[in-house]
Amino acid sequence: MNHWATLDHKYIMHPFTRYRRTLQNIPIIRGEGALLYAEDGTTYVDAIASWWVNLHGHAHPYINARIKEQLDVLEHVIFSGFTHQPAITLAEKLLRRLGFPYEQLFYSDNGSTAVEVAIKMSIQYWKNLGENRPRLIAFLNSYHGDTFGAMAVSERDVFTEPFHQHLFEVDYIPYPTPENIEEVKCNLEKLVSKGNVAAFIFEPLIQGAGGMRMAKPAWLDELLLICHRNQVLTIADEVMTGFFKTSTCFAIEQLNIKPDFVCLSKALTGGYLPLGVTAFTSSIARSFQSEDVRHTFYHGHSFTANPLACTAALASLELIDKENTASKVHQIAQWHEEAANSFTTHPVVRDVRSMGLVLAMDIQTSYDEYFYNDPIREILYREFLNRGVLVRPLGNVVYVLPPACITEQQMKSVYQTMHEVLEKINQSMHG
Ligand SMILES: *Cc1c(COP(=O)(O)O)cnc(C)c1O
């Protein structure tokens, strides 16, 4: 290994990475399509789109060219009192793609900040109207990011445990299932009828980090209807689901009742650069359009609407049409469905599910103690890497979420690797 790679361990703390003296992060030197090339010559299939961000493939020539062009013109400019074309064109195109009722958006830096903005705007919306509505409702098992507001509306678990005393109070309802939907509706009805709730935040159709749990659009519609009837604002956190994860470009396209806010990030720039968007309706926008200085939204980030990031997002939107990303995703969804059938009967597998780009399954947890010391996810992660596939299980949930550019051969080899790894787990438990 080169000298630079050995210094990683010395100088850098990595995200969600447990400390281990022997830890080696894999140095990647190049990417192309769905492939990542490591310094030691190993090639990995990026079967999780580098944490759900990559859409058209790594180092895509078209996005590269557009960014290079923009770079020579304007790299960045303050976004308060100033504006630029990439930001305006992107806003126009995104809002058109989102459709009614979204009329304005606010730029920020990433998924967590897109969520923070929606939370803050929803609380201030009511203040601007002269009402105090301090509470928020969220789903159990949700993940909305790692900043304080986003943590507050996420599941309270071991990941957020050190900060619980600093997080504002949130009312939680279970993620709907066929068994609990009536009960969830009742819970929600009771909470919203108190009149002190600013907003309900949710991940539409798929809870990502919470284990790729899937919900039917009809259940979410019923919950959104309860919110709307009780004048509670609704926030769709599409940071993960946006850009075809659920088969449609946005998950909310499959809902009849449209949320007041939509948060986007991750694949927004095709996975190139950090950028967050919070889109909202005209009635939200109007509540901030006032001569009263107290009605101003006092929020901003130094790199708000960075022109390079906006240009990457514009190029990605153009590729969605040019390369017919929707039909590629449709094809992948079909492969997933066929593959799902081949996993359902496997002895260590439970609850195989697929939607759009996502294929997920639970590895039977009753065997967890067998791997004491080494959680099953670590074993699975390493087994996949050893076979040249990047898959990062969420607890005992194994899933793939490839970039839309993945080839049939690459996808089928990933399924094959999944079979091999599951077989190895099965044998080590029974052998
Ligand atoms: C990843 C994610 C976030 C946080 O986005 P970051 O860019 O990592 O801050 C928020 N919400 C959901 C649903 C996510 O999957």
Side-chain angles (χ1 to χ4, degrees), residues 51-52 109-113 115 143-146 203 208-209 237-241 265-266:
W51 253 347
W52 321 341
D109 293 350
N110 54 60
S112 303
T113 56
V115 167
Y143 177 74
H144 295 292
D146 287 334
E203 293 164 85
D237 177 355
E238 289 235 30
V239 171
M240 189 287 276
T241 54
S265 188
K266 291 205 165 117

Side-chain angles (χ1 to χ4, degrees), residues 158-222:
V158 60
F159 293 97
T160 53
E161 214 278 327
F163 316 106
H164 285 179
Q165 60 184 322
H166 302 287
L167 302 179
F168 57 76
E169 278 182 45
V170 169
D171 293 308
Y172 291 98
I173 55 172
Y175 205 63
T177 64
E179 294 77 36
N180 73 6
I181 177 66
E182 291 309 316
E183 187 193 327
V184 176
K185 278 164 64 184
C186 267
N187 281 357
L188 182 64
E189 194 85 55
K190 263 188 224 140
L191 292 169
V192 295
S193 66
K194 291 178 191 162
N196 62 352
V197 179
F200 165 53
I201 183 165
F202 66 104
E203 293 164 85
L205 302 187
I206 305 181
Q207 278 190 321
M212 298 295 161
R213 299 192 191 191
M214 297 174 187
K216 284 210 180 352
W219 304 335
L220 296 180
D221 272 332
E222 291 183 66

Side-chain angles (χ1 to χ4, degrees), residues 45 47 328-343 346 349 352-361 384 387-389 391 398-403 406-423:
V45 180
K328 288 186 185 178
V329 171
H330 187 71
Q331 176 64 74
I332 293 168
Q334 264 176 353
W335 296 333
H336 279 356
E337 261 174 56
E338 288 157 24
N341 293 331
S342 73
F343 289 110
H346 198 283
V349 170
V352 184
R353 52 209 183 265
S354 73
M355 186 190 288
L357 286 170
V358 182
L359 168 67
M361 61 198 74
F384 277 106
R387 291 167 173 80
V389 177
V391 158
V398 170
Y399 74 93
V400 290
L401 194 172
I406 197 164
T407 65
E408 178 165 15
Q409 197 194 354
Q410 288 164 342
M411 197 64 249
K412 304 256 152 112
S413 83
V414 169
Y415 300 142
Q416 182 54 37
T417 304
M418 290 171 88
H419 275 292
E420 283 171 27
V421 171
L422 293 175
E423 204 34 55

Side-chain angles (χ1 to χ4, degrees), residues 185-366:
K185 278 164 64 184
C186 267
N187 281 357
L188 182 64
E189 194 85 55
K190 263 188 224 140
L191 292 169
V192 295
S193 66
K194 291 178 191 162
N196 62 352
V197 179
F200 165 53
I201 183 165
F202 66 104
E203 293 164 85
L205 302 187
I206 305 181
Q207 278 190 321
M212 298 295 161
R213 299 192 191 191
M214 297 174 187
K216 284 210 180 352
W219 304 335
L220 296 180
D221 272 332
E222 291 183 66
L223 301 178
L224 290 175
L225 186 61
I226 292 172
C227 290
H228 279 222
R229 276 206 305 252
N230 289 273
Q231 270 115 46
V232 164
L233 298 176
T234 49
I235 303 168
D237 177 355
E238 289 235 30
V239 171
M240 189 287 276
T241 54
F243 303 98
F244 299 100
K245 307 304 180 357
T246 67
S247 81
T248 44
C249 186
F250 305 111
I252 55 160
E253 289 171 41
Q254 299 177 51
L255 303 179
N256 291 318
I257 304 197
K258 303 300 177 194
D260 299 279
F261 293 91
V262 181
C263 307
L264 300 171
S265 188
K266 291 205 165 117
L268 170 59
T269 59
Y272 264 66
L273 288 161
L275 182 67
V277 156
T278 309
F280 43 88
T281 64
S282 60
S283 79
I284 303 291
R286 269 199 311 276
S287 79
F288 292 88
Q289 290 160 355
S290 148
E291 297 294 322
D292 187 336
V293 292
R294 290 167 306 171
H295 293 177
T296 306
F297 188 52
Y298 291 109
H299 184 109
H301 301 280
S302 312
F303 286 101
T304 296
N306 174 263
L308 297 173
C310 289
T311 300
L314 277 169
S316 176
L317 289 183
E318 285 164 33
L319 280 181
I320 286 173
D321 297 329
K322 260 195 230 163
E323 297 195 336
N324 202 349
T325 303
S327 78
K328 288 186 185 178
V329 171
H330 187 71
Q331 176 64 74
I332 293 168
Q334 264 176 353
W335 296 333
H336 279 356
E337 261 174 56
E338 288 157 24
N341 293 331
S342 73
F343 289 110
T344 37
T345 52
H346 198 283
V348 299
V349 170
R350 295 286 175 278
D351 195 17
V352 184
R353 52 209 183 265
S354 73
M355 186 190 288
L357 286 170
V358 182
L359 168 67
M361 61 198 74
D362 296 359
I363 305 305
Q364 198 171 26
T365 50
S366 58

